[in-house]
Amino acid sequence: MAGRRKAILDPSYEAVVVGAGNGGLGAALQLALKGVKTLLLEQHNVPGGFATSFVRGRFEFDASLHELADVGSADNAGSLRVFLDEAGTDIDWVAIPEAYRVILTDENLNVRVPFGIEELIDTIESEVPGSRKAMTKYMELCKDVNGALGILGGIADSAKPDRMISDFMSFVRDSDNPIEEIASIVRKLMNLLRVISKTVDQVSDEYKLPDRARAILYPYWCYLGLPMSRLSFTSWGAMLISYMTKGAYVPRMRSQELTMAMESRIRELGGRIEYNTRVEEILVERGKVTGVRTSQGDEIRTSQIIANVSPTLVYNDLISPKTEVPKIALKNVNARKHASSCIVVYMGLDTTLDELGLTDYGYFISKNMDTDEIYDSTYVLDVPIMQATTCLNNVIPDCSPPGTSIVSITTLFSMDSWSDVTPKDYFKVKNRIANGLIDQLENGTGANIRDHIEEIEVATPATFARYTRSYKGVVYGYELDPWDGVIARVVTKEDEKYIKGLEIGGGFSFMGHGYNVSLLSGRAAALSTLKEMGVKS
Amino acid sequence: MKKKNNFLGDIAGLIELLPERKRRIERASPGPIGDDPINELARSLHPQKIYFEIAEVRDETPTIRTFKLVAAPDSGTTALPVFRAGQYLAFREEVQGVVVTRPYSISSSPREALEDGFMEITVRKIPKGFLTKHIWKNWKPGSKITSSGPAGFFYHEPLRDTNHILGIAGGCGFTPFRSMIKDAIDNDLDLSITLLFGIRTPDEVIFKKELAKYKRKMGKKLKVTYVCSEPDGSWKGPSGFITKDVIKKQGGGVKGKTLFICGPPAMYRFLENELAEFKIPQKRIRREVFGEIDDITAFDEFPRGLKRKKFNIKVHIGSEVEEIQAKATETVLVAMERAGLAPQSKCRSGECGFCDSLLLDGEIFVSPENDGRRMAGVKFNHFHPCASYPVTDLEIIVNRSV
């Protein structure tokens, strides 16, 4: 009988992608678009990794998504929308009306921040009179840094220096005002150069941003997860500009719509996807990948692998034999530090957001905006002092049945503070922290949440480890200090490639973490793979 | 060193970024990463499989048996996982060459799993039941059996529920409540439990002796009433079904309570009417999933004229393709099991998504009471074979089992 036979896979593929999270799906989609015979392997039984949803009672919760940057509207499309549209995926994007509301209980601060650079500056000016000049300059700098990254990205895409120069020359020649164009490019690059090794705080100090302006401006830090005293300014500036100029979006049917749309398109294009199939070994011979072995007992030959996996796990656990792991690769991953995991409290409420007085989609609630203090509070097995909360019905009114609403509280949480939790204490500890987070939300907003909880789930680092097997349940990638920021990673990308035929995509790769960059970095990894395979782009 | 991308390398080099990175990498240890206590915790909370040995078999009544299960270290389970009182295990059993799964609620307490190293399940023999007949014959002390990790959402959640459970049970629905009662005692929880247990005949009264013991420990916080639908002369308790009057009188009403209902589908339908007048908010009623629907044709929504129809299903698993036959009145999961494809499943109620598959072609009927699909799943043709019935010939992709 068939059940007795091992349902086998083809013995060889042109490319194998490990992990169907955002990075792996982005990679497999790009490969499939070019007609490469691609196999995408995933240990779970649905696509998405963190980008998934789950149903409880009459509610469907997003496991992780707050909002996507780099989507943009149809006529102001970001690169993520462009890629997904061109790839032919079917996703119903819904725009988030405002950036966020920040509530700082110790600072008597409660401000709604709109999208748009001018609007942001205006809002901060009205709260912090006299900040306009400094804020305007600061945002100009962010724009330049973002622009410079775009230029460098374009250059880095050109394989050869001579082509790079000719591309650049033809770009300038086509311009209406070549001198101004060159001046602007030079200015952007100079500005990038000036801040390339700086932290956010260093630049904010230099621009003399008032503390209260920073308090209003900084909440997005938690999407990168490193305090402003350490976070690379380049990553921050680029993210801030992306949100302010392109807005933020969510797929109508949770992030699962994004990942199933990609899954569906990959299959249509002839790519093969296998679930319940964990890659246990990446086979390497003389510094080159030769195939993978899986938890189902498959052995598949390939010369191109894209791993949507932390390099820490790739070099420690996956590469086989171990003698093929260069010492420098282990040093590399040990030098870097895994960023945060999260605790999420998902709630289906039997009342409307209107009734609760929750008027916005995104709430950042904290005592203050001292990001060092907040970051440190995630290293204690207790309620961290900041939460990022979403109220989905304010973006998608019918995301839950009439008269109900979906509210999710997220807080960053260091994996190390979970290390001592025993199975016996597990439910108690997670409920204690969830309780504290609900208190925090009620105190911050005045909403009576507790009397309306119809469904509730709490995800901890152990939950994320359960579904993704990420190292210690990490949700983000490596911490983005300047020495391991986007620029440092881009520049060293080729030098730090230790195994031929192996690319890394996803939150641990050169673009940093977050939905859009994880997905697009998977695509970028696929472009490198295609180049190596000699497939024309 | 390989050649760098010059332009980028030059600017970054100018400002010491790369030397610092290089220094940090040089200084780092080439040693292996330490252990990962969080993945370990996740595995111990949620093992993919539990390998048991049956330690003891107890007859509760002529048709109800409790199996005491301990870890089978030789097969790969060294310790039992902690769970939430009320959860179930899905057992995977081969019967006459066909692999099937069945969810059974855990009737012992979480503490017993953790500290005393055992779990118990209490199973009722189904007349003509193909699996329970096999269980009665083959599950003896010393037998090895395999289940999923603990699963399901039928447990008291203090973040959500009031601290007074009104449990309504029928059939073998007592079992999760036994676990909840024991858990309340073990952890001295701030929790009262009022339980109405519907039985057919007086000899179905189970756990009577031990209930007296629990009652002594919990005092006023525990009240259990058996309600017998086919009483004989000796029956002294309330008789009939669990009606609104029983809920008011023996159950003490619904105010301040969270209802937990566990039993056969017929009981759920009956209770719906009985509960209507109480106007209980949805958040105060939790229902355990009840597995497959016995007679899908009883649903008004079920397409007419299909009762005796059979369809072909083309099933892709890995690179294999199988053509199987399916009745319109049985789930796609059952058809696959019957054909020996051994698909994976847990809840058999459309809820857990463990059997998630892809519909390439054809149409299915999804029982409205068991439709746990994600919205995106519906849009992109994912479906749950355990709650789906073929309406035409089908072509589907099914995952290989874990």
Side-chain angles (χ1 to χ4, degrees):
Chain A
M1 266 186 245
R4 305 305 161 86
R5 277 208 307 270
K6 196 78 207 172
I8 47 144
L9 303 183
D10 287 358
S12 82
Y13 283 82
E14 285 182 280
V16 172
V17 179
V18 184
N22 279 318
L25 287 163
L29 181 55
Q30 180 60 56
L31 293 172
L33 279 166
K34 292 291 166 196
V36 173
K37 188 187 178 194
T38 303
L39 174 65
L40 171 56
L41 298 173
E42 164 61 41
Q43 62 196 350
H44 196 39
N45 70 340
V46 284
F50 296 112
T52 187
S53 67
F54 59 92
V55 175
R56 291 289 181 275
R58 46 183 180 154
F59 299 92
E60 182 170 343
F61 300 100
D62 204 301
S64 65
L65 179 62
H66 282 215
E67 52 197 351
L68 269 147
D70 206 17
V71 174
S73 63
D75 49 5
N76 178 26
S79 45
L80 184 64
R81 186 194 280 263
V82 170
F83 169 56
L84 291 169
D85 279 356
E86 286 178 1
T89 57
D90 174 14
I91 301 160
D92 185 2
W93 294 108
V94 186
I96 290 165
E98 73 290 318
Y100 51 82
R101 181 176 287 277
V102 50
I103 298 173
L104 304 179
T105 49
D106 282 6
E107 309 274 334
N108 190 28
L109 186 145
N110 185 334
V111 180
R112 173 191 267 173
V113 176
F115 287 118
I117 292 173
E118 291 310 314
E119 291 83 347
L120 171 69
I121 294 171
D122 287 348
T123 303
I124 294 182
E125 172 66 23
S126 75
E127 292 294 324
V128 192
S131 63
R132 182 181 297 282
K133 212 170 145 197
M135 270 304 297
T136 306
K137 277 190 170 167
Y138 185 88
M139 294 308 290
E140 283 300 321
L141 175 70
C142 291
K143 265 198 273 186
D144 279 358
V145 165
N146 190 51
L149 286 177
I151 295 165
L152 293 184
I155 293 171
D157 267 355
S158 323
K160 293 178 184 145
D162 50 342
R163 206 186 128 203
M164 179 178 108
I165 289 163
S166 70
D167 280 359
F168 180 72
M169 291 312 289
S170 67
F171 171 66
V172 170
R173 224 178 297 121
D174 291 347
S175 154
D176 291 340
N177 202 336
I179 300 294
E180 218 164 78
E181 197 73 58
I182 292 175
S184 143
I185 289 171
V186 169
R187 190 194 69 233
K188 286 174 186 162
L189 291 174
M190 292 302 286
N191 266 332
L192 174 66
L193 205 53
R194 223 160 47 70
V195 297
I196 209 164
S197 61
K198 287 183 179 156
T199 64
V200 180
D201 269 350
Q202 283 171 339
V203 176
S204 298
D205 288 349
E206 198 181 295
Y207 279 69
K208 298 195 171 56
L209 284 194
D211 284 347
R212 208 166 163 84
R214 295 185 203 195
I216 299 170
L217 183 67
Y218 275 4
Y220 278 147
W221 79 278
C222 60
Y223 290 166
L224 294 170
L226 201 56
M228 296 309 212
S229 60
R230 285 179 53 203
L231 180 64
S232 151
F233 178 80
T234 355
S235 296
W236 162 253
M239 180 180 76
L240 185 61
I241 290 301
S242 173
Y243 275 126
M244 286 301 147
T245 58
K246 304 276 184 206
Y249 287 75
V250 289
R252 185 171 298 280
M253 300 172 178
R254 320 296 175 269
S255 56
Q256 193 74 74
E257 183 181 3
L258 165 71
T259 49
M260 281 187 174
M262 287 195 279
E263 174 206 34
S264 171
R265 191 69 187 124
I266 290 165
R267 289 195 204 262
E268 275 172 20
L269 291 164
R272 177 168 201 104
I273 304 176
E274 279 296 322
Y275 298 111
N276 290 346
T277 307
R278 189 172 64 254
V279 169
E280 292 185 326
E281 289 173 55
I282 290 176
L283 306 174
V284 179
E285 277 170 37
R286 273 165 294 187
K288 277 164 111 173
V289 303
T290 59
V292 295
R293 269 197 205 106
T294 77
S295 57
Q296 293 276 3
D298 313 298
E299 185 166 330
I300 291 149
R301 312 304 292 178
T302 188
S303 57
Q304 302 294 337
I305 294 175
I306 297 173
N308 180 195
V309 183
S310 149
T312 300
L313 294 181
V314 169
Y315 296 121
N316 276 281
D317 294 348
L318 291 182
I319 288 180
S320 173
K322 295 249 181 263
T323 49
E324 286 286 351
V325 182
K327 210 173 230 185
I328 186 73
L330 292 172
K331 278 169 169 276
N332 182 302
V333 297
N334 284 337
R336 310 168 82 180
K337 186 169 175 290
H338 284 88
S340 275
S341 184
C342 293
I343 291 179
V344 188
V345 183
Y346 313 91
M347 294 179 289
L349 305 177
D350 73 345
T351 188
T352 62
L353 297 175
D354 243 14
E355 293 282 333
L356 292 169
L358 295 170
T359 50
D360 298 75
Y361 171 68
Y363 284 82
F364 293 107
I365 302 167
S366 182
K367 272 168 36 182
N368 55 43
M369 202 39 72
D370 180 335
T371 56
D372 288 290
E373 190 186 340
I374 300 167
Y375 178 83
D376 289 346
S377 78
T378 70
Y379 275 79
V380 184
L381 190 59
D382 207 338
V383 185
I385 62 178
M386 178 174 172
Q387 63 174 252
T389 294
T390 59
C391 303
L392 192 56
N393 303 68
N394 281 332
V395 175
I396 305 169
D398 60 353
C399 69
S400 65
T404 70
S405 52
I406 294 177
V407 173
S408 292
I409 306 173
T410 304
T411 179
L412 294 179
F413 216 82
S414 116
M415 292 86 75
D416 292 332
S417 40
W418 265 92
S419 295
D420 297 328
V421 178
T422 61
K424 186 172 183 238
D425 295 338
Y426 180 73
F427 300 117
K428 255 184 238 163
V429 173
K430 83 172 184 175
N431 276 16
R432 174 168 60 86
I433 293 173
N435 243 320
L437 289 167
I438 296 169
D439 283 343
Q440 211 173 60
L441 175 58
E442 291 190 330
N443 293 339
T445 60
N448 172 4
I449 303 292
R450 222 175 232 98
D451 288 349
H452 296 286
I453 300 173
E454 180 174 316
E455 295 291 345
I456 186 166
E457 275 295 336
V458 183
T460 70
T463 315
F464 295 114
R466 174 190 181 188
Y467 287 105
T468 69
R469 297 204 190 206
S470 69
Y471 181 60
K472 293 186 178 177
V474 65
V475 171
Y476 288 168
Y478 294 120
E479 289 192 332
L480 290 156
D481 293 282
W483 68 270
D484 199 15
V486 175
I487 291 285
R489 293 185 195 182
V490 172
V491 172
T492 55
K493 193 166 164 273
E494 289 306 309
D495 278 350
E496 296 181 9
K497 212 175 133 178
Y498 303 112
I499 307 280
K500 199 166 158 45
L502 176 63
E503 291 285 338
I504 303 287
F508 284 90
S509 73
F510 70 99
M511 290 164 84
H513 41 263
Y515 263 68
N516 57 313
V517 290
S518 295
L519 201 159
L520 288 177
S521 75
R523 183 211 184 192
L527 291 173
S528 298
T529 299
L530 289 166
K531 200 179 281 178
E532 191 158 325
M533 293 171 71
V535 178
K536 284 222 171 89
S537 50
Chain B
M1 253 170 89
K2 274 173 270 172
K3 196 167 160 283
K4 256 192 223 103
N5 191 331
N6 289 329
F7 183 46
L8 296 179
D10 286 351
I11 29 173
L14 275 174
I15 36 81
E16 270 291 299
L17 209 57
L18 297 189
E20 185 189 353
R21 182 179 179 88
K22 222 172 143 189
R23 266 198 310 277
R24 283 176 180 267
I25 292 173
E26 293 290 336
R27 272 208 313 262
S29 143
I33 36 169
D35 42 350
D36 181 342
I38 295 173
N39 267 280
E40 221 167 277
L41 174 66
R43 272 194 299 275
S44 83
L45 291 166
H46 306 287
Q48 229 157 34
K49 285 181 182 162
I50 309 176
Y51 298 97
F52 287 114
E53 184 176 323
I54 297 175
E56 198 185 309
V57 180
R58 288 197 309 271
D59 281 328
E60 305 288 354
T61 75
T63 56
I64 297 179
R65 242 175 218 184
T66 295
F67 297 90
K68 183 175 179 179
L69 313 173
V70 296
D74 295 347
S75 310
T77 295
T78 49
L80 299 182
V82 68
F83 60 96
R84 306 281 292 246
Q87 287 191 302
Y88 67 83
L89 302 170
F91 288 84
R92 195 171 164 87
E93 190 69 10
E94 191 178 320
V95 187
Q96 295 153 25
V98 171
V99 177
V100 294
T101 59
R102 282 294 180 279
Y104 290 116
S105 297
I106 304 166
S107 59
S108 55
S109 76
R111 188 198 59 76
E112 286 167 330
L114 216 57
E115 290 174 15
D116 302 338
F118 71 88
M119 284 178 166
E120 289 178 336
I121 56 167
T122 303
V123 180
R124 170 199 282 264
K125 194 172 186 205
I126 314 284
K128 290 186 196 158
F130 133 98
L131 181 67
T132 52
K133 190 175 153 201
H134 166 91
I135 288 176
W136 252 246
K137 195 170 152 214
N138 295 289
W139 287 20
K140 305 284 179 206
S143 306
K144 299 280 180 71
I145 56 176
T146 308
S147 80
S148 69
F153 312 112
F154 191 69
Y155 51 80
H156 181 258
E157 171 51 76
L159 293 171
R160 175 193 66 202
D161 305 325
T162 56
N163 64 356
H164 194 153
I165 290 176
L166 173 58
I168 302 179
C172 212
F174 197 112
T175 51
F177 295 108
R178 181 175 184 251
S179 180
M180 291 183 203
I181 293 167
K182 280 167 157 264
D183 189 41
I185 293 170
D186 285 345
N187 291 298
D188 195 18
L189 298 180
D190 173 25
L191 182 65
S192 298
I193 300 175
T194 301
L195 184 59
L196 303 172
F197 185 37
I199 53 174
R200 203 164 56 83
T201 54
D203 64 0
E204 287 181 1
V205 171
I206 53 169
F207 303 135
K208 198 169 183 182
K209 242 192 206 153
E210 54 182 284
L211 268 173
K213 191 174 76 190
Y214 303 148
K215 183 91 188 98
R216 278 198 301 280
K217 287 186 177 157
M218 283 181 74
K220 278 193 181 145
K221 281 160 75 181
L222 177 64
K223 186 183 177 204
V224 180
T225 309
Y226 289 90
V227 183
C228 185
S229 62
E230 293 171 24
D232 56 17
S234 68
W235 183 253
K236 294 210 176 58
S239 53
F241 291 121
I242 298 174
T243 58
K244 52 181 181 264
D245 294 329
V246 172
I247 290 167
K248 280 182 203 157
K249 197 165 166 227
Q250 278 79 19
V254 301
K255 201 161 174 253
K257 294 172 186 159
T258 301
L259 273 69
F260 278 71
I261 305 175
C262 182
M267 188 183 91
Y268 287 40
R269 266 167 254 150
F270 178 79
L271 277 173
E272 204 140 304
N273 288 325
E274 298 302 308
L275 291 173
E277 81 165 50
F278 297 113
K279 295 199 166 47
I280 306 168
Q282 198 152 337
K283 67 169 179 282
R284 294 287 168 248
I285 306 185
R286 321 282 320 161
R287 290 181 186 83
E288 177 60 311
V289 293
F290 43 70
E292 271 136 13
I293 292 159
D294 336 321
D295 180 13
I296 191 65
T297 60
F299 280 81
D300 292 341
E301 297 90 340
F302 188 75
R304 298 291 114 201
L306 287 182
K307 221 168 181 172
R308 287 188 177 73
K309 280 260 162 66
K310 280 188 179 166
F311 297 107
N312 293 316
I313 307 181
K314 191 172 180 184
V315 185
H316 298 259
I317 306 182
S319 297
E320 310 270 310
V321 185
E322 291 285 329
E323 298 265 3
I324 67 169
Q325 282 246 310
K327 292 182 202 158
T329 52
E330 71 185 5
T331 65
V332 175
L333 180 69
V334 168
M336 289 194 286
E337 286 176 342
R338 203 194 292 289
L341 298 184
Q344 66 175 22
S345 67
K346 254 185 219 169
C347 71
R348 303 187 78 92
S349 310
E351 178 188 75
C352 75
F354 197 52
C355 63
D356 192 285
S357 299
L358 202 61
L359 180 64
L360 294 180
D361 198 21
E363 271 175 57
I364 51 171
F365 171 73
V366 180
S367 84
E369 289 189 12
N370 283 358
D371 191 355
R373 288 176 296 173
R374 298 167 170 96
M375 283 180 272
V378 175
K379 176 173 174 179
F380 293 106
N381 299 319
H382 282 254
F383 75 110
H384 298 161
C386 72
S388 306
Y389 301 79
V391 172
T392 64
D393 288 345
L394 305 178
E395 183 171 358
I396 65 178
I397 299 181
V398 176
N399 295 327
R400 299 183 290 176
S401 295
V402 194

